[in-house]
Amino acid sequence: MQTPRTIAIFGATGSIGRSAIEVAVASEKRQKVVALSGHSHLELLLRQAQLLKPRWVIATNLQKAKAFDFSTLPPETELLLGEESLNKIAQHPEVDLVLTAIVGSAGLQSTLSAIEGGKIVAIANKEPLVMAGPIVTEKARRTGATLLPVDSEHSAIFQAMKSGRKEEVAKIILTASGGPFRNCSKKDLSKVTIEEALDHPTWKMGSKITIDSATMMNKALEIIEARWLFNLPAEKIEAVIHPQSVIHSFVEFFDGSVIAQLSPPDMKLPIQYAFDYPDRKEGVAKKVDWSTAFSFDFFPPDSDRFPALRLGHEVAKAGGTAGAVLNAANEVAVEQFLSGSMAFDQIVPTCEAILKNHPFEKNPSLDTIIKLDRWARCELGPQTT
Ligand SMILES: NC(=O)c1ccc[n+]([C@@H]2O[C@H](COP(=O)([O-])OP(=O)(O)OC[C@H]3O[C@@H](n4cnc5c(N)ncnc54)[C@H](OP(=O)(O)O)[C@@H]3O)[C@@H](O)[C@H]2O)c1
């Protein structure tokens, strides 16, 4: 029997993290979870540790962790506190693969650490690529780290790309469900409530990405993610509305052939693809039911009602500091919407205004990116976290 691939799940208590645990548990010992991290859901983190008996548990929120009783952790599990512990585990020789499933810019440092350690890095946390795509991919090139996309669209593109050579790709087309407000007028969008925005028609995800899907900022972030992950110019990246969320993306080659990847909307499949890569194995992800009738729809996106897409293209084209500023402004705007202090239809215009006002740099260092991330957050006022 093969030695199991050892896996660290950063953000184990979130939507992706929980699915990843299901995938690893069902893997018939092909994978062994050796590290789990959680931030505020420590009760859940403890239960996950009791189930999996990992070598390490990392509680990243120091304040909450110090007040929590971890005395029933399994004896073989070591408790580590604080975000810096992620960096140590990301590079530990006993870890083969790191799944980055922390939400937002909070995952930047640990993603970079895993890449620095030359690991297989399964990337769900897209925001570090949006913020610092060229730094991330250049580091991976230098250290030999393998970057495997877990975002379903990027996993689909990664798989479809294998049908031809990179130089033969005419364009890639990311599919988007269109979110809950696909058919809403601009007037309706100004009245969207928090509950309505959190009610996604096809995917069950964490709250930040659910709001991003509703504004279509998620697709904007994915356009930027694809720009860096596949090293394609922004002009070669398009998006199409596909409400069923079964076709996860397309690659169109120069001869006109279009290759797609299909599967029911279930993140367990791209997670499993990354965990087993380069093999394909039986797993827990839902499969297409070919015994029932179904059809697919496609619509061109409406960038008048959903300006985020245009913004995503502009930022993918501009590169430099634009991604970090857009990402930071969006994180704060989403937080403000979720706390009731910003209207839904103001999220994207607010991000655009901050982006326009920022001191753009074409080839920023990581320090500059972090400085501008902070600047954009300050522009939007006091933080809630
Ligand atoms: N959900 C999906 O279907 C999906 C699909 C594609 C891509 N993604 C991407 O995957 C990432 C995770 O998404 P999600 O939906 O799983 O989010 P989520 O459910 O909100 O989970 C986020 C995870 O990050 C942890 N976390 C939050 N703040 C943190 C901080 N400051 N430091 C360290 N850890 C922190 C959370 O811990 P606590 O819960 O313990 O606070 C939780 O484990 C995002 O970047 C998202 O864009 C998600």
Side-chain angles (χ1 to χ4, degrees):
M1 193 167 148
Q2 244 181 308
T3 1
R5 181 171 270 174
T6 52
I7 298 199
I9 302 178
F10 290 173
T13 46
S15 163
I16 290 285
R18 294 191 306 270
S19 292
I21 289 175
E22 274 189 65
V23 169
V25 167
S27 76
E28 295 179 336
K29 305 211 169 115
R30 294 192 304 281
Q31 290 119 35
K32 176 163 176 38
V33 176
V34 293
L36 296 168
S37 91
H39 197 63
S40 48
H41 293 102
L42 301 183
E43 196 64 61
L44 174 59
L45 184 65
L46 178 62
R47 281 202 307 277
Q48 291 175 333
Q50 288 166 342
L51 170 78
L52 296 168
K53 302 182 176 41
R55 170 99 158 72
W56 301 281
V57 151
I58 306 155
T60 43
N61 184 328
L62 267 184
Q63 214 184 345
K64 291 206 168 171
K66 282 182 181 161
F68 189 78
D69 177 9
F70 277 106
S71 62
T72 55
L73 267 181
E76 56 269 71
T77 302
E78 184 185 349
L79 174 65
L80 302 171
L81 301 186
E83 301 206 3
E84 301 71 35
S85 304
L86 294 171
N87 302 326
K88 181 174 143 199
I89 299 307
Q91 303 196 350
H92 198 284
E94 283 174 38
V95 173
D96 298 326
L97 182 149
V98 176
L99 172 68
T100 70
I102 287 173
V103 61
S105 58
L108 176 66
Q109 289 300 347
S110 52
T111 300
L112 290 171
S113 294
I115 296 173
E116 191 63 43
K119 304 293 180 191
I120 305 170
V121 189
I123 301 185
N125 177 208
K126 66 194 86 182
E127 290 88 348
L129 271 165
V130 171
M131 296 171 73
I135 293 175
V136 169
T137 52
E138 168 52 25
K139 199 184 265 297
R141 198 195 54 72
R142 189 171 50 72
T143 62
T146 306
L147 304 185
L148 296 175
V150 169
D151 227 343
S152 56
E153 295 78 0
H154 302 70
S155 175
I157 293 162
F158 185 81
Q159 295 177 57
M161 284 268 200
K162 295 188 183 294
S163 292
R165 287 196 294 273
K166 168 89 191 300
E167 322 77 78
E168 296 167 340
V169 172
K171 57 180 156 179
I172 60 175
I173 303 102
L174 303 172
T175 54
S177 70
F181 311 124
R182 182 168 58 86
N183 296 318
C184 286
S185 66
K186 267 186 159 176
K187 194 166 162 230
D188 290 341
L189 289 174
S190 67
K191 292 184 245 158
V192 162
T193 65
I194 298 170
E195 291 71 29
E196 287 166 341
L198 283 173
D199 190 16
H200 195 279
T202 48
W203 293 99
K204 291 282 156 269
M205 312 177 282
S207 54
K208 193 254 179 190
I209 183 173
T210 304
I211 302 304
D212 287 348
S213 297
T215 57
M216 294 207 68
M217 184 60 90
N218 185 47
K219 215 43 55 180
L221 300 180
E222 286 178 5
I223 288 170
I224 305 162
E225 178 185 11
R227 156 79 185 95
W228 303 118
L229 204 48
F230 301 112
N231 191 22
L232 287 170
E235 299 73 30
K236 285 192 172 192
I237 307 170
E238 292 182 9
V240 69
I241 305 295
H242 166 47
Q244 292 84 7
S245 304
V246 172
I247 298 184
H248 297 296
S249 279
F250 302 97
V251 175
E252 185 174 319
F253 291 93
F254 280 133
D255 62 357
S257 268
V258 179
I259 310 291
Q261 185 265 338
L262 288 76
S263 51
D266 179 359
M267 287 307 293
K268 290 196 272 301
L269 185 64
I271 294 168
Q272 185 185 311
Y273 179 79
F275 280 7
D276 276 318
Y277 183 81
D279 299 333
R280 286 186 188 268
K281 302 281 185 187
E282 187 73 35
V284 279
K286 291 183 198 135
K287 292 188 178 150
V288 176
D289 177 4
W290 298 102
S291 67
T292 54
F294 57 85
S295 53
F296 295 143
D297 298 303
F298 301 103
F299 306 97
D302 178 350
S303 56
D304 182 39
R305 282 180 305 132
F306 294 101
L309 280 182
R310 174 183 46 76
L311 215 51
H313 266 115
E314 285 172 13
V315 169
K317 209 169 177 172
T321 48
V325 170
L326 174 69
N327 181 67
N330 181 57
E331 282 188 21
V332 180
V334 169
E335 225 173 73
Q336 294 186 349
F337 168 69
L338 287 172
S339 67
S341 60
M342 183 179 291
F344 178 80
D345 65 348
Q346 288 312 299
I347 296 176
V348 176
T350 301
C351 293
E352 184 160 18
I354 304 272
L355 195 60
K356 281 210 171 112
N357 281 338
H358 97 272
F360 178 75
E361 266 190 46
K362 186 70 189 164
N363 293 304
S365 64
L366 189 59
D367 282 352
T368 305
I369 283 173
I370 291 167
K371 213 165 67 199
L372 280 171
D373 169 281
R374 291 202 189 116
W375 171 86
R377 287 168 199 273
C378 288
E379 287 293 293
L380 270 157
Q383 306 282 293
T384 54
T385 52

